[in-house]
PDB file of all heavy atoms in Angstrom:
ATOM      1  N   LEU A  19      13.641   4.747  -7.643  1.00 98.00           N
ATOM      2  CA  LEU A  19      13.708   6.088  -8.203  1.00 98.00           C
ATOM      3  C   LEU A  19      13.305   6.032  -9.668  1.00 98.00           C
ATOM      4  O   LEU A  19      13.903   5.286 -10.455  1.00 98.00           O
ATOM      5  CB  LEU A  19      15.124   6.645  -8.064  1.00 98.00           C
ATOM      6  CG  LEU A  19      15.415   7.989  -8.724  1.00 98.00           C
ATOM      7  CD1 LEU A  19      14.559   9.085  -8.098  1.00 98.00           C
ATOM      8  CD2 LEU A  19      16.891   8.316  -8.600  1.00 98.00           C
ATOM      9  N   VAL A  20      12.293   6.800 -10.032  1.00 98.00           N
ATOM     10  CA  VAL A  20      11.823   6.838 -11.414  1.00 98.00           C
ATOM     11  C   VAL A  20      11.576   8.275 -11.834  1.00 98.00           C
ATOM     12  O   VAL A  20      11.366   9.160 -11.006  1.00 98.00           O
ATOM     13  CB  VAL A  20      10.531   6.021 -11.618  1.00 98.00           C
ATOM     14  CG1 VAL A  20      10.767   4.547 -11.317  1.00 98.00           C
ATOM     15  CG2 VAL A  20       9.395   6.562 -10.759  1.00 98.00           C
ATOM     16  N   GLN A  21      11.585   8.500 -13.130  1.00 98.00           N
ATOM     17  CA  GLN A  21      11.241   9.805 -13.673  1.00 98.00           C
ATOM     18  C   GLN A  21       9.729   9.965 -13.756  1.00 98.00           C
ATOM     19  O   GLN A  21       8.985   8.988 -13.855  1.00 98.00           O
ATOM     20  CB  GLN A  21      11.842   9.980 -15.061  1.00 98.00           C
ATOM     21  CG  GLN A  21      13.350  10.082 -15.079  1.00 98.00           C
ATOM     22  CD  GLN A  21      13.887  10.331 -16.466  1.00 98.00           C
ATOM     23  OE1 GLN A  21      13.484   9.681 -17.425  1.00 98.00           O
ATOM     24  NE2 GLN A  21      14.792  11.289 -16.581  1.00 98.00           N
ATOM     25  N   ALA A  22       9.279  11.208 -13.705  1.00 98.00           N
ATOM     26  CA  ALA A  22       7.863  11.485 -13.890  1.00 98.00           C
ATOM     27  C   ALA A  22       7.361  10.842 -15.177  1.00 98.00           C
ATOM     28  O   ALA A  22       8.023  10.884 -16.215  1.00 98.00           O
ATOM     29  CB  ALA A  22       7.619  12.988 -13.919  1.00 98.00           C
ATOM     30  N   GLY A  23       6.188  10.234 -15.080  1.00 98.00           N
ATOM     31  CA  GLY A  23       5.620   9.518 -16.203  1.00 98.00           C
ATOM     32  C   GLY A  23       5.946   8.041 -16.230  1.00 98.00           C
ATOM     33  O   GLY A  23       5.342   7.293 -17.005  1.00 98.00           O
ATOM     34  N   GLY A  24       6.865   7.623 -15.386  1.00 98.00           N
ATOM     35  CA  GLY A  24       7.259   6.234 -15.338  1.00 98.00           C
ATOM     36  C   GLY A  24       6.331   5.381 -14.499  1.00 98.00           C
ATOM     37  O   GLY A  24       5.320   5.847 -13.972  1.00 98.00           O
ATOM     38  N   SER A  25       6.696   4.105 -14.360  1.00 98.00           N
ATOM     39  CA  SER A  25       5.873   3.130 -13.663  1.00 98.00           C
ATOM     40  C   SER A  25       6.687   2.326 -12.672  1.00 98.00           C
ATOM     41  O   SER A  25       7.891   2.114 -12.855  1.00 98.00           O
ATOM     42  CB  SER A  25       5.228   2.158 -14.663  1.00 98.00           C
ATOM     43  OG  SER A  25       4.359   2.819 -15.555  1.00 98.00           O
ATOM     44  N   LEU A  26       6.018   1.862 -11.629  1.00 98.00           N
ATOM     45  CA  LEU A  26       6.572   0.924 -10.671  1.00 98.00           C
ATOM     46  C   LEU A  26       5.476  -0.038 -10.253  1.00 98.00           C
ATOM     47  O   LEU A  26       4.296   0.318 -10.249  1.00 98.00           O
ATOM     48  CB  LEU A  26       7.105   1.627  -9.422  1.00 98.00           C
ATOM     49  CG  LEU A  26       8.421   2.389  -9.516  1.00 98.00           C
ATOM     50  CD1 LEU A  26       8.640   3.187  -8.234  1.00 98.00           C
ATOM     51  CD2 LEU A  26       9.589   1.443  -9.754  1.00 98.00           C
ATOM     52  N   ARG A  27       5.877  -1.230  -9.867  1.00 98.00           N
ATOM     53  CA  ARG A  27       4.949  -2.212  -9.317  1.00 98.00           C
ATOM     54  C   ARG A  27       5.433  -2.595  -7.928  1.00 98.00           C
ATOM     55  O   ARG A  27       6.521  -3.155  -7.783  1.00 98.00           O
ATOM     56  CB  ARG A  27       4.849  -3.446 -10.203  1.00 98.00           C
ATOM     57  CG  ARG A  27       3.806  -4.476  -9.738  1.00 98.00           C
ATOM     58  CD  ARG A  27       3.662  -5.598 -10.759  1.00 98.00           C
ATOM     59  NE  ARG A  27       2.603  -6.535 -10.443  1.00 98.00           N
ATOM     60  CZ  ARG A  27       2.798  -7.731  -9.881  1.00 98.00           C
ATOM     61  NH1 ARG A  27       4.021  -8.131  -9.563  1.00 98.00           N
ATOM     62  NH2 ARG A  27       1.758  -8.528  -9.649  1.00 98.00           N
ATOM     63  N   LEU A  28       4.632  -2.305  -6.924  1.00 98.00           N
ATOM     64  CA  LEU A  28       4.961  -2.621  -5.549  1.00 98.00           C
ATOM     65  C   LEU A  28       4.333  -3.952  -5.153  1.00 98.00           C
ATOM     66  O   LEU A  28       3.231  -4.288  -5.594  1.00 98.00           O
ATOM     67  CB  LEU A  28       4.456  -1.538  -4.599  1.00 98.00           C
ATOM     68  CG  LEU A  28       4.874  -0.100  -4.907  1.00 98.00           C
ATOM     69  CD1 LEU A  28       4.361   0.833  -3.815  1.00 98.00           C
ATOM     70  CD2 LEU A  28       6.380   0.019  -5.072  1.00 98.00           C
ATOM     71  N   SER A  29       5.042  -4.683  -4.315  1.00 98.00           N
ATOM     72  CA  SER A  29       4.553  -5.959  -3.816  1.00 98.00           C
ATOM     73  C   SER A  29       4.541  -5.948  -2.302  1.00 98.00           C
ATOM     74  O   SER A  29       5.376  -5.306  -1.663  1.00 98.00           O
ATOM     75  CB  SER A  29       5.439  -7.110  -4.300  1.00 98.00           C
ATOM     76  OG  SER A  29       5.426  -7.216  -5.704  1.00 98.00           O
ATOM     77  N   CYS A  30       3.613  -6.671  -1.724  1.00 97.00           N
ATOM     78  CA  CYS A  30       3.493  -6.807  -0.281  1.00 97.00           C
ATOM     79  C   CYS A  30       3.245  -8.261   0.051  1.00 97.00           C
ATOM     80  O   CYS A  30       2.269  -8.850  -0.440  1.00 97.00           O
ATOM     81  CB  CYS A  30       2.348  -5.938   0.234  1.00 97.00           C
ATOM     82  SG  CYS A  30       1.915  -6.205   1.971  1.00 97.00           S
ATOM     83  N   ALA A  31       4.114  -8.823   0.858  1.00 96.00           N
ATOM     84  CA  ALA A  31       3.927 -10.165   1.379  1.00 96.00           C
ATOM     85  C   ALA A  31       3.394 -10.050   2.798  1.00 96.00           C
ATOM     86  O   ALA A  31       4.021  -9.415   3.645  1.00 96.00           O
ATOM     87  CB  ALA A  31       5.241 -10.935   1.356  1.00 96.00           C
ATOM     88  N   ALA A  32       2.256 -10.635   3.045  1.00 93.00           N
ATOM     89  CA  ALA A  32       1.582 -10.520   4.329  1.00 93.00           C
ATOM     90  C   ALA A  32       1.486 -11.871   5.014  1.00 93.00           C
ATOM     91  O   ALA A  32       1.434 -12.916   4.362  1.00 93.00           O
ATOM     92  CB  ALA A  32       0.188  -9.936   4.151  1.00 93.00           C
ATOM     93  N   SER A  33       1.453 -11.840   6.333  1.00 91.00           N
ATOM     94  CA  SER A  33       1.178 -13.063   7.065  1.00 91.00           C
ATOM     95  C   SER A  33      -0.268 -13.478   6.847  1.00 91.00           C
ATOM     96  O   SER A  33      -1.137 -12.646   6.565  1.00 91.00           O
ATOM     97  CB  SER A  33       1.463 -12.887   8.552  1.00 91.00           C
ATOM     98  OG  SER A  33       0.532 -11.992   9.141  1.00 91.00           O
ATOM     99  N   ARG A  34      -0.525 -14.748   6.971  1.00 87.00           N
ATOM    100  CA  ARG A  34      -1.866 -15.255   6.744  1.00 87.00           C
ATOM    101  C   ARG A  34      -2.882 -14.621   7.692  1.00 87.00           C
ATOM    102  O   ARG A  34      -4.015 -14.345   7.297  1.00 87.00           O
ATOM    103  CB  ARG A  34      -1.878 -16.774   6.873  1.00 87.00           C
ATOM    104  CG  ARG A  34      -3.205 -17.430   6.534  1.00 87.00           C
ATOM    105  CD  ARG A  34      -3.089 -18.940   6.562  1.00 87.00           C
ATOM    106  NE  ARG A  34      -4.356 -19.584   6.261  1.00 87.00           N
ATOM    107  CZ  ARG A  34      -5.283 -19.877   7.157  1.00 87.00           C
ATOM    108  NH1 ARG A  34      -5.078 -19.573   8.436  1.00 87.00           N
ATOM    109  NH2 ARG A  34      -6.402 -20.460   6.785  1.00 87.00           N
ATOM    110  N   SER A  35      -2.488 -14.375   8.931  1.00 86.00           N
ATOM    111  CA  SER A  35      -3.418 -13.809   9.903  1.00 86.00           C
ATOM    112  C   SER A  35      -3.862 -12.403   9.517  1.00 86.00           C
ATOM    113  O   SER A  35      -4.984 -12.006   9.827  1.00 86.00           O
ATOM    114  CB  SER A  35      -2.796 -13.818  11.295  1.00 86.00           C
ATOM    115  OG  SER A  35      -1.642 -13.003  11.351  1.00 86.00           O
ATOM    116  N   ILE A  36      -3.002 -11.649   8.866  1.00 85.00           N
ATOM    117  CA  ILE A  36      -3.345 -10.303   8.415  1.00 85.00           C
ATOM    118  C   ILE A  36      -4.189 -10.352   7.151  1.00 85.00           C
ATOM    119  O   ILE A  36      -5.148  -9.598   6.996  1.00 85.00           O
ATOM    120  CB  ILE A  36      -2.074  -9.473   8.167  1.00 85.00           C
ATOM    121  CG1 ILE A  36      -1.339  -9.214   9.484  1.00 85.00           C
ATOM    122  CG2 ILE A  36      -2.399  -8.153   7.466  1.00 85.00           C
ATOM    123  CD1 ILE A  36       0.010  -8.544   9.308  1.00 85.00           C
ATOM    124  N   PHE A  37      -3.828 -11.250   6.241  1.00 87.00           N
ATOM    125  CA  PHE A  37      -4.369 -11.238   4.894  1.00 87.00           C
ATOM    126  C   PHE A  37      -5.729 -11.919   4.769  1.00 87.00           C
ATOM    127  O   PHE A  37      -6.624 -11.391   4.102  1.00 87.00           O
ATOM    128  CB  PHE A  37      -3.369 -11.919   3.955  1.00 87.00           C
ATOM    129  CG  PHE A  37      -3.673 -11.735   2.504  1.00 87.00           C
ATOM    130  CD1 PHE A  37      -3.150 -10.674   1.803  1.00 87.00           C
ATOM    131  CD2 PHE A  37      -4.486 -12.638   1.843  1.00 87.00           C
ATOM    132  CE1 PHE A  37      -3.425 -10.502   0.462  1.00 87.00           C
ATOM    133  CE2 PHE A  37      -4.775 -12.478   0.498  1.00 87.00           C
ATOM    134  CZ  PHE A  37      -4.245 -11.412  -0.190  1.00 87.00           C
ATOM    135  N   SER A  38      -5.875 -13.070   5.369  1.00 84.00           N
ATOM    136  CA  SER A  38      -7.023 -13.927   5.093  1.00 84.00           C
ATOM    137  C   SER A  38      -8.346 -13.250   5.423  1.00 84.00           C
ATOM    138  O   SER A  38      -8.546 -12.757   6.538  1.00 84.00           O
ATOM    139  CB  SER A  38      -6.904 -15.229   5.874  1.00 84.00           C
ATOM    140  OG  SER A  38      -5.779 -15.970   5.451  1.00 84.00           O
ATOM    141  N   ASP A  39      -9.237 -13.232   4.439  1.00 87.00           N
ATOM    142  CA  ASP A  39     -10.601 -12.726   4.587  1.00 87.00           C
ATOM    143  C   ASP A  39     -10.679 -11.252   4.973  1.00 87.00           C
ATOM    144  O   ASP A  39     -11.709 -10.795   5.465  1.00 87.00           O
ATOM    145  CB  ASP A  39     -11.382 -13.561   5.597  1.00 87.00           C
ATOM    146  CG  ASP A  39     -11.479 -15.017   5.206  1.00 87.00           C
ATOM    147  OD1 ASP A  39     -11.681 -15.301   4.008  1.00 87.00           O
ATOM    148  OD2 ASP A  39     -11.352 -15.878   6.098  1.00 87.00           O
ATOM    149  N   ASN A  40      -9.607 -10.514   4.753  1.00 92.00           N
ATOM    150  CA  ASN A  40      -9.553  -9.106   5.139  1.00 92.00           C
ATOM    151  C   ASN A  40      -9.370  -8.192   3.940  1.00 92.00           C
ATOM    152  O   ASN A  40      -8.787  -8.574   2.932  1.00 92.00           O
ATOM    153  CB  ASN A  40      -8.401  -8.854   6.110  1.00 92.00           C
ATOM    154  CG  ASN A  40      -8.624  -9.477   7.466  1.00 92.00           C
ATOM    155  OD1 ASN A  40      -9.737  -9.449   7.993  1.00 92.00           O
ATOM    156  ND2 ASN A  40      -7.575 -10.030   8.047  1.00 92.00           N
ATOM    157  N   ASP A  41      -9.843  -6.960   4.100  1.00 95.00           N
ATOM    158  CA  ASP A  41      -9.426  -5.894   3.192  1.00 95.00           C
ATOM    159  C   ASP A  41      -7.921  -5.688   3.336  1.00 95.00           C
ATOM    160  O   ASP A  41      -7.351  -5.890   4.409  1.00 95.00           O
ATOM    161  CB  ASP A  41     -10.109  -4.578   3.544  1.00 95.00           C
ATOM    162  CG  ASP A  41     -11.598  -4.572   3.297  1.00 95.00           C
ATOM    163  OD1 ASP A  41     -12.136  -5.557   2.754  1.00 95.00           O
ATOM    164  OD2 ASP A  41     -12.237  -3.556   3.645  1.00 95.00           O
ATOM    165  N   MET A  42      -7.280  -5.262   2.260  1.00 96.00           N
ATOM    166  CA  MET A  42      -5.882  -4.855   2.317  1.00 96.00           C
ATOM    167  C   MET A  42      -5.732  -3.516   1.616  1.00 96.00           C
ATOM    168  O   MET A  42      -6.394  -3.263   0.607  1.00 96.00           O
ATOM    169  CB  MET A  42      -4.965  -5.885   1.670  1.00 96.00           C
ATOM    170  CG  MET A  42      -4.827  -7.178   2.458  1.00 96.00           C
ATOM    171  SD  MET A  42      -4.005  -6.941   4.075  1.00 96.00           S
ATOM    172  CE  MET A  42      -2.343  -6.493   3.558  1.00 96.00           C
ATOM    173  N   GLY A  43      -4.884  -2.679   2.164  1.00 97.00           N
ATOM    174  CA  GLY A  43      -4.687  -1.356   1.604  1.00 97.00           C
ATOM    175  C   GLY A  43      -3.234  -1.026   1.371  1.00 97.00           C
ATOM    176  O   GLY A  43      -2.340  -1.600   1.994  1.00 97.00           O
ATOM    177  N   TRP A  44      -3.021  -0.102   0.452  1.00 98.00           N
ATOM    178  CA  TRP A  44      -1.735   0.548   0.281  1.00 98.00           C
ATOM    179  C   TRP A  44      -1.853   1.971   0.809  1.00 98.00           C
ATOM    180  O   TRP A  44      -2.805   2.686   0.482  1.00 98.00           O
ATOM    181  CB  TRP A  44      -1.289   0.567  -1.183  1.00 98.00           C
ATOM    182  CG  TRP A  44      -0.699  -0.730  -1.639  1.00 98.00           C
ATOM    183  CD1 TRP A  44      -1.317  -1.712  -2.335  1.00 98.00           C
ATOM    184  CD2 TRP A  44       0.653  -1.166  -1.440  1.00 98.00           C
ATOM    185  NE1 TRP A  44      -0.451  -2.750  -2.582  1.00 98.00           N
ATOM    186  CE2 TRP A  44       0.768  -2.441  -2.047  1.00 98.00           C
ATOM    187  CE3 TRP A  44       1.766  -0.611  -0.814  1.00 98.00           C
ATOM    188  CZ2 TRP A  44       1.958  -3.173  -2.040  1.00 98.00           C
ATOM    189  CZ3 TRP A  44       2.948  -1.338  -0.805  1.00 98.00           C
ATOM    190  CH2 TRP A  44       3.034  -2.601  -1.412  1.00 98.00           C
ATOM    191  N   TYR A  45      -0.878   2.356   1.606  1.00 98.00           N
ATOM    192  CA  TYR A  45      -0.787   3.676   2.197  1.00 98.00           C
ATOM    193  C   TYR A  45       0.504   4.337   1.759  1.00 98.00           C
ATOM    194  O   TYR A  45       1.437   3.666   1.321  1.00 98.00           O
ATOM    195  CB  TYR A  45      -0.772   3.590   3.723  1.00 98.00           C
ATOM    196  CG  TYR A  45      -1.947   2.903   4.370  1.00 98.00           C
ATOM    197  CD1 TYR A  45      -2.119   1.531   4.289  1.00 98.00           C
ATOM    198  CD2 TYR A  45      -2.878   3.638   5.106  1.00 98.00           C
ATOM    199  CE1 TYR A  45      -3.189   0.897   4.909  1.00 98.00           C
ATOM    200  CE2 TYR A  45      -3.942   3.015   5.733  1.00 98.00           C
ATOM    201  CZ  TYR A  45      -4.093   1.650   5.633  1.00 98.00           C
ATOM    202  OH  TYR A  45      -5.152   1.033   6.257  1.00 98.00           O
ATOM    203  N   ARG A  46       0.572   5.641   1.912  1.00 98.00           N
ATOM    204  CA  ARG A  46       1.836   6.330   1.682  1.00 98.00           C
ATOM    205  C   ARG A  46       1.997   7.458   2.687  1.00 98.00           C
ATOM    206  O   ARG A  46       1.020   8.011   3.191  1.00 98.00           O
ATOM    207  CB  ARG A  46       1.948   6.860   0.253  1.00 98.00           C
ATOM    208  CG  ARG A  46       0.980   7.971  -0.092  1.00 98.00           C
ATOM    209  CD  ARG A  46       1.086   8.294  -1.580  1.00 98.00           C
ATOM    210  NE  ARG A  46       0.190   9.379  -1.958  1.00 98.00           N
ATOM    211  CZ  ARG A  46      -0.048   9.742  -3.205  1.00 98.00           C
ATOM    212  NH1 ARG A  46       0.551   9.101  -4.215  1.00 98.00           N
ATOM    213  NH2 ARG A  46      -0.882  10.753  -3.462  1.00 98.00           N
ATOM    214  N   GLN A  47       3.244   7.787   2.954  1.00 98.00           N
ATOM    215  CA  GLN A  47       3.561   8.892   3.839  1.00 98.00           C
ATOM    216  C   GLN A  47       4.736   9.677   3.257  1.00 98.00           C
ATOM    217  O   GLN A  47       5.830   9.142   3.095  1.00 98.00           O
ATOM    218  CB  GLN A  47       3.901   8.409   5.240  1.00 98.00           C
ATOM    219  CG  GLN A  47       4.062   9.542   6.237  1.00 98.00           C
ATOM    220  CD  GLN A  47       4.079   9.063   7.669  1.00 98.00           C
ATOM    221  OE1 GLN A  47       4.445   7.928   7.958  1.00 98.00           O
ATOM    222  NE2 GLN A  47       3.665   9.929   8.585  1.00 98.00           N
ATOM    223  N   ALA A  48       4.471  10.929   2.947  1.00 97.00           N
ATOM    224  CA  ALA A  48       5.497  11.826   2.461  1.00 97.00           C
ATOM    225  C   ALA A  48       6.069  12.610   3.633  1.00 97.00           C
ATOM    226  O   ALA A  48       5.404  12.774   4.660  1.00 97.00           O
ATOM    227  CB  ALA A  48       4.917  12.783   1.423  1.00 97.00           C
ATOM    228  N   PRO A  49       7.295  13.121   3.507  1.00 92.00           N
ATOM    229  CA  PRO A  49       7.890  13.895   4.602  1.00 92.00           C
ATOM    230  C   PRO A  49       7.002  15.057   5.027  1.00 92.00           C
ATOM    231  O   PRO A  49       6.507  15.816   4.193  1.00 92.00           O
ATOM    232  CB  PRO A  49       9.206  14.396   4.008  1.00 92.00           C
ATOM    233  CG  PRO A  49       9.554  13.379   2.972  1.00 92.00           C
ATOM    234  CD  PRO A  49       8.234  12.961   2.382  1.00 92.00           C
ATOM    235  N   GLY A  50       6.784  15.172   6.334  1.00 94.00           N
ATOM    236  CA  GLY A  50       5.990  16.258   6.868  1.00 94.00           C
ATOM    237  C   GLY A  50       4.491  16.092   6.727  1.00 94.00           C
ATOM    238  O   GLY A  50       3.741  17.000   7.095  1.00 94.00           O
ATOM    239  N   LYS A  51       4.046  14.970   6.206  1.00 96.00           N
ATOM    240  CA  LYS A  51       2.623  14.736   6.013  1.00 96.00           C
ATOM    241  C   LYS A  51       2.167  13.485   6.741  1.00 96.00           C
ATOM    242  O   LYS A  51       2.963  12.607   7.064  1.00 96.00           O
ATOM    243  CB  LYS A  51       2.296  14.608   4.521  1.00 96.00           C
ATOM    244  CG  LYS A  51       2.497  15.887   3.733  1.00 96.00           C
ATOM    245  CD  LYS A  51       1.921  15.757   2.341  1.00 96.00           C
ATOM    246  CE  LYS A  51       1.980  17.076   1.600  1.00 96.00           C
ATOM    247  NZ  LYS A  51       1.354  16.970   0.260  1.00 96.00           N
ATOM    248  N   GLN A  52       0.876  13.423   7.004  1.00 96.00           N
ATOM    249  CA  GLN A  52       0.288  12.238   7.612  1.00 96.00           C
ATOM    250  C   GLN A  52       0.206  11.103   6.599  1.00 96.00           C
ATOM    251  O   GLN A  52       0.121  11.323   5.393  1.00 96.00           O
ATOM    252  CB  GLN A  52      -1.109  12.538   8.143  1.00 96.00           C
ATOM    253  CG  GLN A  52      -1.145  13.438   9.359  1.00 96.00           C
ATOM    254  CD  GLN A  52      -2.542  13.567   9.906  1.00 96.00           C
ATOM    255  OE1 GLN A  52      -3.416  14.140   9.268  1.00 96.00           O
ATOM    256  NE2 GLN A  52      -2.759  13.011  11.093  1.00 96.00           N
ATOM    257  N   ARG A  53       0.218   9.897   7.119  1.00 96.00           N
ATOM    258  CA  ARG A  53       0.013   8.742   6.275  1.00 96.00           C
ATOM    259  C   ARG A  53      -1.406   8.763   5.713  1.00 96.00           C
ATOM    260  O   ARG A  53      -2.367   9.088   6.423  1.00 96.00           O
ATOM    261  CB  ARG A  53       0.262   7.470   7.095  1.00 96.00           C
ATOM    262  CG  ARG A  53       0.173   6.184   6.316  1.00 96.00           C
ATOM    263  CD  ARG A  53       0.951   5.064   7.007  1.00 96.00           C
ATOM    264  NE  ARG A  53       0.789   5.084   8.445  1.00 96.00           N
ATOM    265  CZ  ARG A  53       1.753   4.820   9.304  1.00 96.00           C
ATOM    266  NH1 ARG A  53       2.974   4.508   8.879  1.00 96.00           N
ATOM    267  NH2 ARG A  53       1.514   4.865  10.604  1.00 96.00           N
ATOM    268  N   GLU A  54      -1.544   8.429   4.436  1.00 97.00           N
ATOM    269  CA  GLU A  54      -2.846   8.408   3.806  1.00 97.00           C
ATOM    270  C   GLU A  54      -3.078   7.090   3.079  1.00 97.00           C
ATOM    271  O   GLU A  54      -2.149   6.493   2.536  1.00 97.00           O
ATOM    272  CB  GLU A  54      -3.013   9.582   2.830  1.00 97.00           C
ATOM    273  CG  GLU A  54      -2.031   9.597   1.681  1.00 97.00           C
ATOM    274  CD  GLU A  54      -2.195  10.817   0.775  1.00 97.00           C
ATOM    275  OE1 GLU A  54      -3.184  11.559   0.923  1.00 97.00           O
ATOM    276  OE2 GLU A  54      -1.320  11.020  -0.089  1.00 97.00           O
ATOM    277  N   LEU A  55      -4.311   6.668   3.081  1.00 98.00           N
ATOM    278  CA  LEU A  55      -4.702   5.465   2.360  1.00 98.00           C
ATOM    279  C   LEU A  55      -4.900   5.825   0.895  1.00 98.00           C
ATOM    280  O   LEU A  55      -5.694   6.713   0.572  1.00 98.00           O
ATOM    281  CB  LEU A  55      -5.992   4.897   2.954  1.00 98.00           C
ATOM    282  CG  LEU A  55      -6.576   3.637   2.326  1.00 98.00           C
ATOM    283  CD1 LEU A  55      -5.637   2.455   2.496  1.00 98.00           C
ATOM    284  CD2 LEU A  55      -7.936   3.333   2.939  1.00 98.00           C
ATOM    285  N   VAL A  56      -4.199   5.136   0.008  1.00 98.00           N
ATOM    286  CA  VAL A  56      -4.287   5.463  -1.411  1.00 98.00           C
ATOM    287  C   VAL A  56      -5.101   4.458  -2.211  1.00 98.00           C
ATOM    288  O   VAL A  56      -5.639   4.803  -3.263  1.00 98.00           O
ATOM    289  CB  VAL A  56      -2.892   5.645  -2.047  1.00 98.00           C
ATOM    290  CG1 VAL A  56      -2.140   6.767  -1.346  1.00 98.00           C
ATOM    291  CG2 VAL A  56      -2.075   4.362  -2.012  1.00 98.00           C
ATOM    292  N   ALA A  57      -5.196   3.233  -1.738  1.00 98.00           N
ATOM    293  CA  ALA A  57      -5.951   2.202  -2.445  1.00 98.00           C
ATOM    294  C   ALA A  57      -6.325   1.105  -1.478  1.00 98.00           C
ATOM    295  O   ALA A  57      -5.569   0.793  -0.564  1.00 98.00           O
ATOM    296  CB  ALA A  57      -5.145   1.620  -3.609  1.00 98.00           C
ATOM    297  N   VAL A  58      -7.481   0.510  -1.677  1.00 98.00           N
ATOM    298  CA  VAL A  58      -7.921  -0.596  -0.838  1.00 98.00           C
ATOM    299  C   VAL A  58      -8.596  -1.644  -1.711  1.00 98.00           C
ATOM    300  O   VAL A  58      -9.250  -1.311  -2.708  1.00 98.00           O
ATOM    301  CB  VAL A  58      -8.861  -0.108   0.295  1.00 98.00           C
ATOM    302  CG1 VAL A  58     -10.143   0.496  -0.269  1.00 98.00           C
ATOM    303  CG2 VAL A  58      -9.161  -1.219   1.285  1.00 98.00           C
ATOM    304  N   ILE A  59      -8.417  -2.892  -1.343  1.00 98.00           N
ATOM    305  CA  ILE A  59      -9.053  -3.996  -2.049  1.00 98.00           C
ATOM    306  C   ILE A  59      -9.677  -4.933  -1.029  1.00 98.00           C
ATOM    307  O   ILE A  59      -9.061  -5.280  -0.019  1.00 98.00           O
ATOM    308  CB  ILE A  59      -8.044  -4.725  -2.971  1.00 98.00           C
ATOM    309  CG1 ILE A  59      -8.746  -5.809  -3.799  1.00 98.00           C
ATOM    310  CG2 ILE A  59      -6.867  -5.285  -2.185  1.00 98.00           C
ATOM    311  CD1 ILE A  59      -7.889  -6.328  -4.951  1.00 98.00           C
ATOM    312  N   SER A  60     -10.905  -5.327  -1.272  1.00 96.00           N
ATOM    313  CA  SER A  60     -11.596  -6.242  -0.376  1.00 96.00           C
ATOM    314  C   SER A  60     -11.145  -7.669  -0.626  1.00 96.00           C
ATOM    315  O   SER A  60     -10.478  -7.974  -1.618  1.00 96.00           O
ATOM    316  CB  SER A  60     -13.104  -6.129  -0.566  1.00 96.00           C
ATOM    317  OG  SER A  60     -13.503  -6.752  -1.773  1.00 96.00           O
TER     318      SER A  60
END
């Protein structure tokens, strides 16, 4: 929980089979909305 204007750093630990040589993305889903891709890294 943060105030508007603040910062957070999210971390994701992935299995090697998911991570290796693959794109990885961060997604988000708000209540009542579809999940959306917000960032991707090759």
